[in-house]
Amino acid sequence: MPTFPKPSTAPSTRSEELRSFIFLSVVMAPVLAVLTVASYGFIVWIYQMFAGPPGS
């Protein structure tokens, strides 16, 4: 049976947690929001290419 080395489980420091929170809230959340809205718009655009514009 192979033995695997134990992963390092050093507790994170306050500055690491603050840096992670800032990265998630300032960078990742807006990027995910923009990607979500852009992908929805792209899906509607592709749909309207085949189904025609609304009301036609």
Side-chain angles (χ1 to χ4, degrees):
M1 175 175 250
T3 59
F4 298 104
K6 293 184 178 181
S8 173
T9 56
S12 59
T13 63
R14 184 175 177 88
S15 63
E16 288 175 341
E17 289 186 9
L18 181 63
R19 187 173 50 216
S20 296
F21 173 74
I22 290 174
F23 174 74
L24 289 173
S25 61
V26 173
V27 176
M28 288 306 293
V31 167
L32 289 175
V34 167
L35 287 176
T36 302
V37 172
S39 62
Y40 176 73
F42 184 73
I43 290 169
V44 169
W45 179 58
I46 294 295
Y47 170 75
Q48 288 182 351
M49 284 175 44
F50 295 106
S56 64

